Amino acid sequence: MSNSTTNSTNLTNDPSGKGLSYKDAGVDIDAGDALVERIKPLAKKTMREGVLAGIGGFGALFEVPKRYKEPVLVSGTDGVGTKLKLAFEWQIHDTVGQDLVAMSVNDILVQGAEPLFFLDYFACGHLSVDVAATVVGGIAKGCELAGCALIGGETAEMPGMYPDGEYDLAGFAVGVVEKSKIITGKTILPGDVVIGLASSGAHSNGYSLIRKIIDVSGVSRSFEIGGRPLEEVVMTPTKIYVKPVLELINKINVKGMAHITGGGLLENIPRVLPDNVQAVLHQDAWEMPELFKWLAKAGKVDAQEMHRVFNCGIGLVIVLSKEEAETAIQFLKTQNIDCLQIGQIVARPNGAHQTVVI
């Protein structure tokens, strides 16, 4: 009875005399269907062994590769953060998808896990098929770089939830590692060394501060940093380290790894260190990229804050024995990864921080 009454009232108040549709409420089912068709060939490029059913079903099916004797699943989830605000403002949507993938796959990588598959969540107030397809194109590219399948996801059009032209992203990665090969950091000892793998830029962290600095400095998107436009430097996607680092793990004994995300160098490296050791990093061991030099100068950001907020040019840290450091560095360079020794592990003084930059 109540449903019938409600429908009758709505029709009476509708000046056109026609019944209401989902599209009248702001949700375009046809646009959603069109997006799915645009996504399917992008996802197909990422397919790999183990995929039993992907895009289109209620759930995606994946079989753990049989080469694993004692497989342990490792999962991670993340977003892109306020870097998206610059994507909206500058209409740059082709890179944030790779950022989304990188933030999760690099996280599970540090435990020695091979990423198997990825799912994305795209939410907006009004669905632009072109924008969404561009974003998902970046996600597919990131999955290809990580060697994982884009196996499913969700597109949510929610009128009134987001301003026009804006959207939000979340991503979910699942990987696998042999139980006996999980990297925990427990074997790290004084005398071990720290090598740093170069970042491609600010990755996806610290963008609230980056946006603030851009605002107070008054520079335009075409302002040049190191000979490149600000918009290009700032929107460079997060580097995905998966394939070369997985190869490295099979060659040498990697004791610990840290993905340098929110919290910078000072707060991420301690997450893999035993309580009794300290990582001492030497700032003069690597050249800080021009972006971070500009941020520090334009925002008058002190060195401690820079190292707590940004990766400062180091996107991933690996801890291993001194004897294997040079082998690791030379191998990674053959994989087009710039890296070098940036510090060492020492006994931790009483009450001292677990990571210091000197």
Side-chain angles (χ1 to χ4, degrees), residues 145-343:
L145 291 171
C148 65
L150 176 56
I151 202 172
E154 171 70 6
T155 302
E157 186 175 25
M158 300 181 286
M161 286 289 287
Y162 299 92
D164 287 345
E166 296 194 4
Y167 53 83
D168 198 11
L169 293 174
F172 313 85
V174 174
V176 63
V177 61
E178 199 72 70
K179 188 175 182 179
S180 61
K181 295 182 179 180
I182 297 173
I183 298 173
T184 65
K186 290 181 179 179
T187 61
I188 295 174
L189 299 168
D192 289 338
V193 299
V194 181
I195 63 174
L197 282 61
S199 66
S200 55
H203 286 181
S204 293
N205 297 105
Y207 275 80
S208 293
L209 180 53
I210 290 174
R211 288 167 47 238
K212 182 69 173 179
I213 293 171
I214 292 173
D215 183 49
V216 299
S217 68
V219 299
S220 71
R221 59 192 290 184
S222 60
F223 173 77
E224 289 197 353
I225 296 178
R228 298 164 61 203
L230 173 71
E231 62 181 3
E232 180 184 321
V233 175
V234 169
M235 297 304 291
T236 298
T238 306
K239 192 169 189 64
I240 293 175
Y241 300 96
V242 172
K243 290 182 180 180
V245 171
L246 285 178
E247 282 196 50
L248 178 68
I249 291 170
N250 288 328
K251 295 179 179 294
I252 65 172
N253 178 30
V254 170
K255 295 188 174 186
M257 291 191 284
H259 183 203
I260 310 305
T261 56
L265 292 162
L266 296 181
E267 295 185 10
N268 282 291
I269 297 175
R271 296 166 67 180
V272 298
L273 298 178
D275 289 340
N276 64 331
V277 302
Q278 178 187 58
V280 178
L281 309 183
H282 299 276
Q283 178 63 78
D284 61 358
W286 77 96
E287 178 73 18
M288 187 178 289
E290 292 299 320
L291 170 62
F292 300 107
K293 291 179 182 178
W294 179 79
L295 290 169
K297 183 178 179 181
K300 298 179 181 177
V301 185
D302 66 39
Q304 181 79 358
E305 185 73 358
M306 287 293 296
H307 292 129
R308 286 187 66 216
V309 176
F310 301 115
N311 65 59
C312 294
I314 302 296
L316 192 81
V317 159
I318 298 177
V319 182
L320 67 177
S321 69
K322 185 177 180 179
E323 292 73 24
E324 293 193 290
E326 189 58 31
T327 299
I329 291 170
Q330 292 307 317
F331 171 76
L332 289 171
K333 286 183 176 179
T334 68
Q335 304 299 304
N336 298 314
I337 301 288
D338 290 332
C339 60
L340 68 171
Q341 183 174 326
I342 61 171

Side-chain angles (χ1 to χ4, degrees), residues 17-33:
K18 297 178 180 179
L20 296 175
S21 69
Y22 212 3
K23 192 170 185 177
D24 294 322
V27 179
D28 190 340
I29 295 175
D30 292 332
D33 292 342

Side-chain angles (χ1 to χ4, degrees), residues 46-92:
T46 72
M47 291 300 102
R48 52 158 293 162
E49 61 167 332
V51 178
L52 301 180
I55 300 290
F58 286 99
L61 303 179
F62 195 97
E63 182 178 35
V64 176
K66 291 182 173 60
R67 65 179 182 274
Y68 287 92
K69 297 178 181 178
E70 293 184 286
V72 173
L73 297 180
V74 184
S75 60
T77 181
D78 212 330
V80 180
T82 62
K83 188 174 187 177
L84 289 179
K85 298 292 283 186
L86 293 176
F88 307 149
E89 182 181 344
W90 295 340
Q91 291 294 295
I92 299 175

Side-chain angles (χ1 to χ4, degrees), residues 90-169:
W90 295 340
Q91 291 294 295
I92 299 175
H93 304 289
D94 60 332
T95 58
V96 292
Q98 182 174 324
D99 284 312
L100 183 68
V101 175
M103 298 305 288
S104 289
V105 297
N106 285 341
D107 271 357
I108 66 175
L109 169 68
V110 301
Q111 291 166 94
E114 170 195 1
L116 297 175
F117 58 87
F118 187 85
L119 297 95
D120 69 282
Y121 176 79
F122 180 100
C124 59
H126 172 71
L127 180 61
S128 165
V129 175
D130 287 340
V131 169
T134 300
V135 172
V136 176
I139 293 172
K141 180 180 179 181
C143 286
E144 288 186 73
L145 291 171
C148 65
L150 176 56
I151 202 172
E154 171 70 6
T155 302
E157 186 175 25
M158 300 181 286
M161 286 289 287
Y162 299 92
D164 287 345
E166 296 194 4
Y167 53 83
D168 198 11
L169 293 174

